[in-house]
Amino acid sequence: MKRTPLYQAHVDAGARMVEFAGYEMPVQYPMGVKKEHLWTRSSAGLFDVSHMGQVILRGENVKQELEALLPVDVIGLGLNQQRYGVFTTTNGGISDDLMFTNWGDEEIYMVVNAACKEQDVAHLTNNLPTTSVEVVDRALVALQGPKAREAAAKLLPELKALVFMQSTKVMWNDVELWVSCSGYTGEDGYEISVPNENATAFCQALLALEEVEWIGLGARDSLRLEAGLCLYGHDLDQSTTPVEASITWAIQKVRRAEGERAGNFVGADVVLQHFAEGVSRKRVGFLVEGKAPVREGVDIVTESGDLAGSVTSGGFAPSLEKPIVMGYVQTDKLEQPLFASLRGKLIPLTPAKMPFFPSRYFRG
């Protein structure tokens, strides 16, 4: 298994390490998953996300060429602005979700999922005719929570004014950091790319602040679930279109039918047809009655036991003190009572708008 540049720091902090996307990653620290989750909601959590893929695309036509692969507005993205996107397949499915940043007329910085990074780099290399694709070997950490901004400002005062989905480059101890105001917890905070050799020192400087504690993959998962955010390979995959996944907000009007640059992306005919005609199933959220967590793979059924869908992410939500799930349900069954079929019992599900816990992104 691979290790991130921060592996020894996790071991020294007492982390329990597990395999994740081919890496040895910290699933939890001595504080425990629930306390780590609540710490991030009340203070500032530090996450190692160095397993994710960092890529720089360079070329005169980088934006036009990338826009042919993504169903989102690449050309219109402002300088030093970040955007969420997905790679689509010819059948309209999603092969990965990602974040990308406009670093200038001829440069885009992209972060892709760890389990998909090799296929994503191959996809980019094979389909961007005049654009160079550079895989960057750097550490990546996320600082998340209501006190993340004040904590970061003690080391990097210039980050205080950064707003959601903006990015910047700053110097810390003569080291260049790449920072975006984003993250995957629903909280305010930053994702920070750091040279490998400086990663441990930078994290130690953050951890020396009383607001900051290490947070593992266990709490990262429960935080993103409360925030209604998808996990690739679970809530998104190649059999799911953006419309089915309820992420239509990510596809700007300029790329939809009647838009100035409508279609012209991989799988556009299927995706635009789903926009026009609707879909037979879609991703929705539910609160779960009782205390028993309902996990991925559990069937969602009607009162008579007819299969209506299945859970793709589920667990106990520490901030709400109750179990929650998201999953795919047949749209013609959404108006009737639905249940999780758990070990022969029918557990009532209450439809809930996502995010389950209010997002607190800083928009200035």
Side-chain angles (χ1 to χ4, degrees):
M1 279 191 291
K2 298 175 187 174
R3 292 175 173 176
T4 76
L6 292 160
Y7 171 83
Q8 193 58 48
H10 302 313
V11 173
D12 292 346
R16 181 159 71 85
M17 307 299 285
V18 299
E19 188 277 333
F20 183 81
Y23 285 79
E24 281 188 87
M25 296 294 292
V27 68
Q28 68 179 78
Y29 298 85
M31 191 190 297
V33 172
K34 183 178 180 181
K35 286 182 178 177
E36 290 173 33
H37 178 114
L38 295 172
W39 180 274
T40 306
R41 289 275 184 248
S42 62
S43 194
L46 183 63
F47 302 76
D48 180 8
V49 289
S50 306
H51 57 310
M52 298 182 78
Q54 299 178 67
V55 181
I56 297 176
L57 309 175
R58 293 187 182 93
E60 283 185 22
N61 303 310
V62 60
K63 292 173 185 173
Q64 292 83 353
E65 291 181 1
L66 183 60
E67 199 168 83
L69 301 185
L70 303 176
V72 303
D73 180 6
V74 179
I75 292 169
L77 186 62
L79 180 65
N80 294 325
Q81 295 290 315
Q82 186 181 57
R83 180 160 282 161
Y84 174 82
V86 292
F87 287 128
T88 41
T89 65
T90 52
N91 68 353
I94 298 168
S95 61
D96 197 13
D97 63 339
L98 56 107
M99 301 290 274
F100 67 97
T101 305
N102 175 12
W103 272 4
D105 291 340
E106 300 183 6
E107 197 169 36
I108 284 175
Y109 169 68
M110 181 180 287
V111 177
V112 301
N113 281 304
C116 303
K117 62 186 176 184
E118 289 185 11
Q119 76 178 34
D120 289 348
V121 169
H123 183 51
L124 291 163
T125 303
N126 293 335
N127 292 289
L128 301 179
T130 67
T131 296
S132 70
V133 180
E134 179 191 353
V135 179
V136 184
D137 183 17
R138 286 168 67 103
L140 187 67
V141 296
L143 183 68
Q144 301 282 291
K147 295 183 181 177
R149 186 165 296 265
E150 65 183 75
K154 293 174 183 177
L155 300 185
L156 303 160
E158 53 270 66
L159 297 187
K160 191 99 179 189
L162 207 65
V163 301
F164 185 54
M165 298 301 259
Q166 274 188 336
S167 93
T168 188
K169 295 177 182 178
V170 297
M171 299 301 292
W172 175 79
N173 288 0
D174 299 322
V175 176
E176 187 176 78
L177 309 180
W178 308 338
V179 185
S180 65
C181 185
S182 59
Y184 224 61
T185 61
E187 295 291 342
D188 182 28
Y190 309 94
E191 290 187 325
I192 306 166
S193 176
V194 192
N196 289 340
E197 61 273 21
N198 306 106
T200 299
F202 178 68
C203 289
Q204 284 174 341
L206 285 171
L207 291 160
L209 305 172
E210 63 180 4
E211 301 94 336
V212 183
E213 292 283 355
W214 276 125
I215 308 295
L217 289 175
R220 178 174 163 84
D221 192 51
S222 56
L223 288 158
R224 69 90 195 165
L225 178 56
E226 285 187 352
L229 299 169
C230 296
L231 180 62
Y232 189 80
H234 301 260
D235 312 294
L236 305 174
D237 59 32
Q238 294 196 26
S239 69
T240 307
T241 72
V243 181
E244 291 173 324
S246 302
I247 55 169
T248 53
W249 53 266
I251 301 178
Q252 291 74 32
K253 287 182 180 178
V254 71
R255 306 303 312 278
R256 301 186 192 185
E258 313 303 324
E260 188 183 329
R261 297 191 307 282
N264 290 322
F265 57 86
V266 179
D269 51 343
V270 177
V271 174
L272 296 182
Q273 183 181 6
H274 279 190
F275 266 110
E277 299 176 7
V279 290
S280 61
R281 63 175 194 135
K282 68 175 184 177
R283 181 176 64 93
V284 290
F286 297 97
L287 303 177
V288 180
E289 189 172 292
K291 292 291 185 183
V294 175
R295 305 291 183 189
E296 178 181 357
V298 169
D299 288 342
I300 298 171
V301 300
T302 65
E303 200 160 9
S304 60
D306 291 340
L307 185 65
S310 66
V311 173
T312 52
S313 286
F316 187 78
S319 309
L320 307 176
E321 297 189 323
K322 62 180 66 177
I324 56 175
V325 299
M326 65 169 77
Y328 285 81
V329 173
Q330 296 168 30
T331 49
D332 62 358
K333 292 186 167 68
L334 283 171
E335 298 304 317
Q336 55 185 295
L338 294 172
F339 303 82
S341 179
L342 194 63
R343 294 185 291 277
K345 291 183 179 177
L346 295 188
I347 311 295
L349 300 175
T350 303
K353 285 189 175 181
M354 295 183 283
F356 299 96
F357 184 83
S359 297
R360 298 188 281 198
Y361 305 124
F362 180 73
R363 301 180 187 273

